[in-house]
Amino acid sequence: MRTRRGAWYSPPDACSEEGAAAKRPRDVAGDQAGCCRRRQRLSSGGGCDAFDALPDDLLICILSKLSASASSPSDLISASLTCRRFNSLAVHSLVLSKASSKCLAVGATNWCDSAHRFLKLCADSGNMEAYYILGMIRFYCLRNRGSGASLMAKAAINCHAPALYSLAVIQFNGSGGSKNDKDLRAGVALCARAAFLGHVDALRELGHCLQDGYGVRQNVAEGRRFLVQANARELAAVLSSSAFPTRSLLAWNHPHHDADARRAAAAAAAACPLLSDFGCNVPAPEVHPANRFLSEWFAARGGAGSGSAGDDGGLRLCSHAGCGRAETRRHEFRRCSVCGVVNYCSRACQALDWKLRHKSECAPQERWINDGDGDGENDGVGAADDDVMAVS
């Protein structure tokens, strides 16, 4: 008999070589099949795609540019709802620090804790506009005077012109305190800083302070120069931002530096609106989101049209529609000395409202000083320093 050691079995080396050669094609075929299955999963969305491979720095840069150019908060919110990754990167400190004022324009009708937290998060990221908007809301609407003034001060330290001017208005009126808390010199200093940064309302306010000697030594010629500069900046902003029909303006000379400067400027203003206290008849400037929020807030509480802050019937609103500031105590704002019907928080608001509305409505009133209380601190024709004069 032939044993099993015979030719029935091949040698071990030959068997292993043949087995390896036979297995090799099967492994390649299996790898190809596995690759096909993986490609199918990728094409069906089951795996990661090229978008997930983008670095976070690139996405943060894109979201930062979006927040800086957004026309409303919904632009950034819509982007954050795209995916979970966008939702986490949209609240990055760099993205929130670049957010523009329009991106932070929260509506008063939509005010809630989430909106408050969003503005607070932007402020904590170092956004100056968020400091200012949240400061205005807390100071005038939420009546948290200390926190609101502190937030505006943080923006003012970083040369935020609207914050500087708002703090100047607070100092001029003694807002949040009593009449004795007025600090005219501090208001003039803040106005001068905002005017240096090109703020039109601050330029106009500073010009009137110099003309009237209000909180600073009187200098009529220098006050006229600031008023002319404010009018020129206002006109240049309108001409550069919209299709405003240009018209020829008469040539003018700088007013004489003498005692008759006021009369000379008044005579020249009749020929050239750039020399007037109120400037050219140009469209109203775009309202800042903070002022728009204030107007909507008090309008929703019964302050629209009535001139009052709604919650406190004795407190009045600034009559300029684009301001929205409310009194923090009775008789804080100054009245028009001609009609006594309207009141303003500043000379800048009085000048804007005169051009837009009040010029056609103002009429002398025989008796408007006593309105039933007899304790008006800024009422009466005799209050020369505190009265807002409506000059036609």
Side-chain angles (χ1 to χ4, degrees), residues 25 63 85 122 150 158 167 170 180 191 207 242 316 330 335:
L63 290 174
R85 192 181 181 195
C122 293
S150 177
N158 290 274
L167 290 175
I170 291 175
N180 297 327
C191 251
S242 61
R316 303 171 296 186
R330 291 176 61 83
R335 290 190 178 190

Side-chain angles (χ1 to χ4, degrees), residues 33-387:
C35 292
C36 293
R37 286 193 296 269
R38 283 194 294 271
R39 281 197 295 269
Q40 290 176 357
R41 286 197 301 268
L42 291 175
S43 61
S44 62
C48 60
D49 54 11
F51 181 78
D52 293 333
L54 293 176
D56 288 347
D57 294 344
L58 179 60
L59 296 180
I60 290 174
C61 181
I62 295 174
L63 290 174
S64 299
K65 292 184 179 296
L66 172 64
S67 64
S69 59
S71 59
S72 64
S74 60
D75 294 343
L76 183 60
I77 295 174
S78 299
S80 66
L81 297 177
T82 303
C83 61
R84 184 178 300 177
R85 192 181 181 195
F86 268 30
N87 192 15
S88 62
L89 294 178
V91 294
H92 192 274
S93 59
L94 183 60
V95 176
L96 298 180
S97 65
K98 301 293 184 181
S100 63
S101 60
K102 293 182 178 180
C103 185
L104 303 174
V106 179
T109 56
N110 300 324
W111 181 253
C112 57
D113 291 339
S114 299
H116 198 169
R117 285 196 300 268
F118 172 70
L119 290 178
K120 182 65 168 59
L121 189 60
C122 293
D124 293 340
S125 301
N127 191 302
M128 296 300 109
E129 287 290 345
Y131 275 128
Y132 173 62
I133 294 175
L134 186 57
M136 290 282 284
I137 292 173
R138 287 186 178 180
F139 189 89
Y140 288 102
C141 300
L142 304 182
R143 301 181 184 179
N144 192 343
R145 316 295 186 191
S147 177
S150 177
L151 289 172
M152 285 188 280
K154 290 181 180 179
I157 291 174
N158 290 274
C159 300
H160 190 270
L164 285 164
Y165 176 69
S166 293
L167 290 175
V169 173
I170 291 175
Q171 294 295 333
F172 282 135
N173 296 322
S175 301
S178 64
K179 181 180 179 181
N180 297 327
D181 292 326
K182 292 183 179 181
D183 193 342
L184 304 184
R185 295 177 63 88
V188 170
L190 291 167
C191 251
R193 182 60 179 166
F196 176 78
L197 297 174
H199 196 271
V200 175
D201 290 343
L203 282 167
R204 186 167 283 120
E205 190 78 23
L206 184 59
H208 285 294
C209 288
L210 287 168
Q211 273 193 331
D212 303 334
Y214 190 70
V216 68
R217 181 179 297 178
Q218 187 175 19
N219 190 332
V220 177
E222 192 71 11
R224 293 300 311 169
R225 186 176 72 84
F226 279 110
L227 289 176
V228 171
Q229 187 177 356
N231 297 336
R233 282 182 175 271
E234 184 181 50
L235 180 60
V238 173
L239 293 177
S240 62
S241 62
S242 61
F244 183 72
T246 58
R247 54 187 179 186
S248 60
L249 296 175
L250 299 176
W252 55 276
N253 296 320
H254 195 280
H256 301 288
H257 293 262
D258 54 19
D260 297 332
R262 187 189 297 272
R263 290 193 296 271
C272 179
L274 281 175
L275 299 181
S276 69
D277 288 353
F278 311 103
C280 304
N281 292 323
V282 296
E286 185 178 2
V287 180
H288 194 278
N291 300 99
R292 186 183 301 114
F293 184 96
L294 265 60
S295 299
E296 294 176 357
W297 178 274
F298 292 113
R301 284 152 179 78
S306 62
S308 65
D311 293 339
D312 296 313
L315 300 182
R316 303 171 296 186
L317 294 174
C318 180
S319 297
H320 176 42
C323 176
R325 291 180 177 88
E327 291 181 325
T328 60
R329 67 178 185 278
R330 291 176 61 83
H331 304 290
E332 176 184 336
F333 293 163
R334 292 162 287 180
R335 290 190 178 190
C336 172
S337 63
V338 177
C339 65
V341 176
V342 295
N343 51 89
Y344 303 101
C345 65
S346 62
R347 290 296 297 265
C349 284
Q350 183 259 346
L352 286 174
D353 191 61
W354 176 261
K355 292 188 301 181
L356 299 175
R357 179 186 62 89
H358 190 55
K359 184 177 182 179
S360 60
E361 301 175 356
C362 187
Q365 299 288 333
E366 293 183 359
R367 186 177 182 85
W368 56 265
I369 300 177
N370 297 323
D371 55 357
D373 297 321
D375 57 350
E377 63 181 48
N378 289 339
D379 297 342
V381 180
D385 291 339
D386 292 338
D387 218 14

